[in-house]
Amino acid sequence: MPDIKNQIKNLPASGGVYLFKDENGNIIYVGKANSIKKRIQQHRRSKLADKIHYIDYINTDSELDSLILEAKLIKRYLPRYNAKQEQPTYPN
């Protein structure tokens, strides 16, 4: 099993989207951050921490790109620890 501390040490301080994976490589959480490394360090103190076995990330050029990519990945993978995204409702 990869060492999470080593993975975190090698993360970028830049912004983007990160994916937490379980021991089988299944995506269990998708998030976005202005600093991937700093945000993931905060997650290490959460209830999700013991379920994270692998960390992937995708750098993005802007916060808007991160928001869009995060939404697309959540919709595609339906990670069990992300809150369900509701479909927008529009007035008639």
Side-chain angles (χ1 to χ4, degrees), residues 21-78:
K21 297 182 177 183
D22 65 14
E23 65 275 4
N24 298 315
N26 299 311
I27 296 170
I28 59 172
Y29 186 82
V30 175
K32 73 129 193 110
N34 292 325
S35 170
I36 293 171
K37 186 174 199 164
K38 185 176 180 180
R39 181 68 182 116
I40 290 176
Q41 287 172 329
Q42 293 170 342
H43 274 291
R44 292 297 297 151
R45 294 182 289 277
S46 73
K47 62 181 180 179
L48 186 60
D50 62 336
K51 295 168 180 45
I52 303 167
H53 291 269
Y54 305 96
I55 303 167
D56 283 336
Y57 64 91
I58 303 165
N59 288 319
T60 59
D61 293 330
S62 69
E63 187 171 5
L64 179 59
D65 290 337
S66 295
L67 285 165
I68 292 168
L69 181 58
E70 177 191 35
K72 285 181 179 179
L73 292 173
I74 290 171
K75 186 175 181 180
R76 180 184 305 159
Y77 294 109
L78 301 172

Side-chain angles (χ1 to χ4, degrees), residues 1-10 44 53-55:
M1 178 169 87
D3 179 24
I4 291 295
K5 287 182 183 180
N6 247 357
Q7 289 184 59
I8 292 172
K9 187 172 102 177
N10 293 316
R44 292 297 297 151
H53 291 269
Y54 305 96
I55 303 167

